[in-house]
């Protein structure tokens, strides 16, 4: 079965922050790939906008350089065709310069669909949207894409949502969480709601616990300025990891459409048991990586003398509703860990009684592991008889649902999350984007943790760069008679 590519209508895709890292690393490569696969028509137009004074030609040259650097299977003919679609305009968010020029460009030869992507720092989201509105670039049909972080706490998120609401309708705001564009994350929904097999087991009666790990091997490399004000809780948990919990824990939506899916996710966010004050020390562990002989530590990477910003968080979370009460969700995320590995592991309960004698070996818990990266795929570990003579001996073997192999498509290239999400914006499909309510519900849960930390003088627990996180995070699981899966 070949991948299905549905071409989209011609569009204007305006990227504010066109010279920035996100545009260069992710957005231009994503659009390039979609054009290569004939999903984007040649008369689509990408208008990059930024503060630098650049000619169209000079920007096209920069875009070409970015593609060479960030597209592994770069093809110069396709790239040449692609950069022809790109235009450039200089804008300044503070003075408002350039926005009328931008408007002239789009109005002169408008395409049926208009999307504006704010690939800029969060402090510019509201001012730029207001400038766009004033200049007449945001019409009632324009789609506005905003990156995270949406605020740094509940109050600032509410303020931003309110300012955006003044210039554009909620149905036209696309709040990106790129984790929702990852192949396995979408597959989690296909697996849960496309198979009758799992639903009867997907609850507190059969699932012992869920572990979500998003481990990175890299440190904060050059992003210390941003990261030190953010930390792992705001950078990863408030958005990506809570979204993963939502998709794992939500009730089946009535349809795979934005309202139905987002409503169910919102209910999960509102069911999260609040974590605050006294209880925090035991169930929320924060850590900061320290250097060793070969590895630099956080303070060095971020060029700081001291900091209590966490580069690691592990926590035990309760989804307090009828389906999940008593089944904990353990989360952990961190920088400079042993390996890059992200997965959602659903660990099923022990068999009620073992009929096998000791020589057979132990009956292990079944684990459904959905691996987001690298090596995307889903495995279900099963206990089987160790093949061959020697009597009844048990061994655990994975039922492997690695996509490319099981579909007989070894050459399958899984699209980057941004390819999928950018095309969803063009198609006008908000299903994989966060609503304003979701963002606010997530901050409502995260804020008390931040406040508790702020009132507390304890430093984050140190952990070795290249390790598995602080000892205290291991203890969090051990206390409950469980263990984290290996980071590998
Ligand atoms: C971003 C965070 O949202 O996600 C980064 O700001 C993090 O700190 C990144 O490195 C991880 O994304 P991915 O797709 O590489 O797992």
């Amino acid at each position: 079965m070949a991948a299905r590519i549905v071409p989209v209508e011609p569009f204007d895709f305006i990227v504010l922050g066109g010279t920035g890292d996100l545009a260069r690393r992710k957005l231009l490569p994503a659009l390039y790939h979609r054009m290569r696969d004939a999903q984007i028509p040649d008369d689509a137009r990408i208008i990059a906008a930024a503060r630098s004074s650049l000619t169209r030609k000079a920007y096209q040259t920069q875009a070409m350089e970015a593609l060479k650097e960030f597209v592994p299977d770069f093809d110069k003919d396709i790239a040449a065709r692609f950069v022809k679609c790109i235009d450039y305009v200089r804008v300044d968010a503070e003075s408002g310069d350039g926005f009328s020029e931008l408007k002239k460009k789009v109005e002169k030869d408008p395409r049926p669909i208009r999307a504006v992507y704010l690939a800029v720092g969060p402090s510019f989201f509201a001012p730029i949207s207001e400038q766009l509105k004033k200049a007449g670039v945001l019409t009632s049909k324009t789609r506005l894409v905003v990156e995270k972080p949406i605020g740094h706490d509940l109050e600032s998120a509410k303020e931003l949502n309110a300012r955006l609401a003044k210039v554009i309708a909620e149905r036209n705001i696309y709040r990106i969480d790129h984790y929702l564009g990852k192949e396995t994350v979408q597959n989690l929904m296909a697996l849960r709601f496309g198979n009758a097999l799992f639903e009867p087991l997907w609850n507190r009666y059969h699932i012992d616990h869920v572990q979500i790990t998003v481990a990175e091997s890299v440190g904060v490399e050059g992003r210390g300025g941003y990261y030190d004000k953010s930390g792992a809780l705001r950078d990863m948990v408030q958005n990506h990891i809570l979204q993963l919990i939502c998709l794992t824990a939500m009730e089946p939506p009535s349809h795979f459409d934005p309202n139905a899916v987002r409503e169910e996710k919102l209910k999960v966010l509102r069911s999260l048991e609040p974590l605050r004050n006294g209880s925090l020390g035991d169930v929320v562990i924060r850590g900061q990586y320290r250097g060793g002989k070969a590895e630099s530590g956080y303070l060095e990477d971020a060029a700081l003398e001291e900091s209590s910003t966490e580069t690691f968080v592990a926590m035990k979370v309760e989804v307090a509703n009828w389906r999940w009460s008593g089944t904990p969700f353990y989360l952990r995320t961190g920088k400079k860990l042993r390996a890059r590995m992200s997965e959602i592991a659903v660990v099923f309960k022990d068999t009620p009684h073992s009929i096998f004698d000791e020589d057979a070996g132990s009956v292990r818990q079944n684990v459904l592991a959905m691996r987001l990266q690298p090596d995307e795929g889903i495995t279900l570990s099963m206990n089987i008889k160790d093949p061959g003579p020697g009597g009844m001996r048990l061994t655990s073997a994975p039922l492997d649902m690695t996509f490319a192999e099981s579909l007989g498509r070894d050459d399958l290239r899984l699209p980057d999350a941004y390819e999928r999400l950018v095309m969803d914006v063009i198609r006008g499909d908000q299903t994989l984007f966060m609503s304003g309510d979701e963002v606010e519900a997530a901050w409502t849960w995260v804020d008390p943790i931040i406040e508790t930390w702020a009132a507390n003088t304890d430093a984050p627990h140190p952990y070795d760069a290249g390790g598995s996180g602080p000892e205290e995070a291991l203890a969090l699981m051990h206390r409950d008679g469980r263990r984290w899966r290996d980071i590998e």
Side-chain angles (χ1 to χ4, degrees):
M1 193 182 35
R4 199 163 66 97
I5 292 178
V6 184
V8 294
E9 277 191 72
F11 56 80
D12 276 323
F13 191 83
I14 302 165
V15 186
L16 275 303
T19 51
D21 222 39
L22 177 65
R24 288 166 29 79
R25 277 175 192 275
K26 294 290 182 187
L27 302 180
L28 292 172
L31 289 159
Y32 161 93
H33 277 116
R34 296 298 85 223
M35 177 172 268
R36 189 202 61 182
D37 291 351
Q39 192 163 21
I40 295 185
D42 281 11
D43 57 345
R45 189 165 50 169
I46 298 155
I47 306 177
R51 254 190 311 221
S52 320
S53 289
L54 290 173
T55 60
R56 176 178 188 191
K57 189 95 203 89
Y59 185 80
Q60 288 180 339
T61 309
Q62 282 195 8
M64 187 61 107
E65 292 306 316
L67 295 177
K68 276 189 201 149
E69 192 176 346
F70 298 114
V71 172
D73 50 355
F74 174 80
D75 177 305
K76 75 176 188 331
D77 294 333
I78 299 166
R81 222 175 83 217
F82 174 72
V83 298
K84 273 200 197 131
C85 296
I86 307 181
D87 203 346
Y88 181 82
V89 55
R90 181 187 174 276
V91 294
D92 184 326
E94 272 155 35
S95 64
D97 289 352
F99 284 88
S100 51
E101 173 73 9
L102 176 60
K103 148 106 166 158
K104 264 191 230 144
K105 271 193 197 293
V106 280
E107 294 286 286
K108 202 167 139 212
D109 180 18
R111 309 290 192 261
I113 297 166
R114 183 181 302 168
V116 180
Y117 199 119
L118 301 187
V120 292
S123 60
F124 292 105
F125 292 163
I128 290 185
S129 313
E130 286 154 3
Q131 296 285 7
L132 290 164
K133 175 75 177 173
K134 202 162 126 205
V137 178
L138 287 189
T139 66
S140 63
K141 289 201 183 131
T142 308
R143 294 159 198 166
L144 183 74
V145 190
V146 255
E147 267 287 334
K148 69 165 253 275
I150 312 282
H152 55 270
D153 57 14
L154 177 60
E155 199 187 326
S156 53
K158 275 187 169 168
E159 191 190 314
L160 177 60
N161 282 339
R163 278 178 79 178
L164 292 179
K166 287 201 176 127
V167 294
I168 189 158
E170 177 69 18
R171 65 172 184 284
N172 290 331
I173 304 178
Y174 290 71
R175 294 180 190 79
I176 279 219
D177 184 312
H178 77 278
Y179 267 58
L180 296 182
K182 290 187 190 274
E183 194 75 7
T184 312
V185 176
Q186 293 171 58
N187 227 314
L188 166 59
M189 285 186 277
L191 188 86
R192 282 196 61 196
F193 307 126
N195 298 285
L197 187 65
F198 295 107
E199 177 53 23
L201 306 178
W202 210 258
N203 54 47
R204 60 193 293 259
Y205 301 107
H206 300 285
I207 294 179
D208 179 70
H209 71 280
V210 177
Q211 295 189 20
I212 300 183
T213 300
V214 179
E216 296 185 89
S217 52
V218 292
V220 292
E221 271 99 39
R223 292 171 77 221
Y226 152 77
Y227 195 87
D228 202 58
K229 289 197 205 77
S230 168
L233 183 64
R234 286 188 170 101
D235 187 49
M236 298 297 288
V237 178
Q238 188 274 343
N239 34 75
H240 307 321
I241 295 188
L242 288 188
Q243 286 291 321
L244 298 182
I245 295 191
C246 285
L247 296 178
T248 310
M250 72 184 184
E251 294 302 312
S254 56
H255 291 96
F256 188 61
D257 74 19
N259 288 341
V261 171
R262 300 198 303 183
E263 239 166 62
E264 293 306 338
K265 286 197 291 163
L266 188 58
K267 285 186 206 157
V268 175
L269 290 168
R270 290 183 174 156
S271 305
L272 296 176
E273 188 70 27
L275 293 170
R276 56 166 60 96
N277 302 332
S279 57
L280 225 57
D282 285 347
V283 291
V284 183
I285 306 298
R286 55 176 169 160
Q288 188 186 84
Y289 65 86
R290 63 177 166 209
K293 276 196 196 113
E295 297 267 23
S296 50
Y298 173 67
L299 296 181
E300 195 180 328
D301 286 355
L304 294 165
E305 300 257 302
E306 58 175 342
S307 165
S308 58
T309 297
E310 77 289 355
T311 60
F312 176 99
V313 192
M315 54 173 82
K316 178 180 172 183
V317 174
E318 298 282 339
V319 180
N321 62 20
W322 276 43
R323 186 186 283 264
W324 294 112
S325 180
T327 294
F329 283 64
Y330 297 93
L331 325 173
R332 71 184 155 159
T333 182
K335 301 265 183 208
K336 277 235 176 138
L337 293 173
R338 185 187 300 281
R340 177 171 188 248
M341 174 248 202
S342 301
E343 68 161 28
I344 303 169
V346 175
V347 181
F348 289 88
K349 293 204 166 172
D350 284 319
T351 51
H353 157 76
S354 177
I355 63 166
F356 304 106
D357 62 29
E358 267 179 25
D359 295 344
S362 57
V363 177
R364 305 231 186 111
Q365 289 172 313
N366 300 116
V367 180
L368 178 68
M370 290 159 283
R371 189 157 169 119
L372 274 51
Q373 58 199 20
D375 310 323
E376 294 89 340
I378 301 179
T379 53
L380 176 62
S381 71
M382 305 285 287
N383 294 300
I384 55 166
K385 178 189 169 296
D386 205 5
M392 175 58 82
R393 279 177 294 110
L394 297 173
T395 188
S396 175
L399 263 181
D400 193 342
M401 297 176 250
T402 305
F403 314 131
E405 270 170 40
S406 13
L407 297 175
R409 297 192 348 224
D410 291 345
D411 58 341
L412 187 71
R413 174 191 158 271
L414 294 178
D416 182 75
Y418 279 91
E419 290 178 48
R420 163 73 199 241
L421 295 174
V422 163
M423 284 299 102
D424 280 354
V425 174
I426 305 296
R427 282 187 283 255
D429 183 349
Q430 277 186 318
T431 312
L432 298 178
F433 295 81
M434 294 178 295
S435 66
D437 288 345
E438 278 178 80
V439 172
E440 290 179 16
W443 281 121
T444 302
W445 184 77
V446 164
D447 267 5
I449 304 175
I450 296 174
E451 280 156 22
T452 309
W453 281 349
N456 183 324
T457 47
D458 298 349
H461 301 289
Y463 64 95
D464 292 334
S468 301
E471 286 296 319
E472 289 75 6
L474 304 181
L476 164 73
M477 276 285 209
H478 285 166
R479 261 199 311 274
D480 292 349
R482 301 180 173 113
R483 57 182 293 270
W484 292 106
R485 286 162 57 81
D486 292 339
I487 297 178
E488 55 188 12

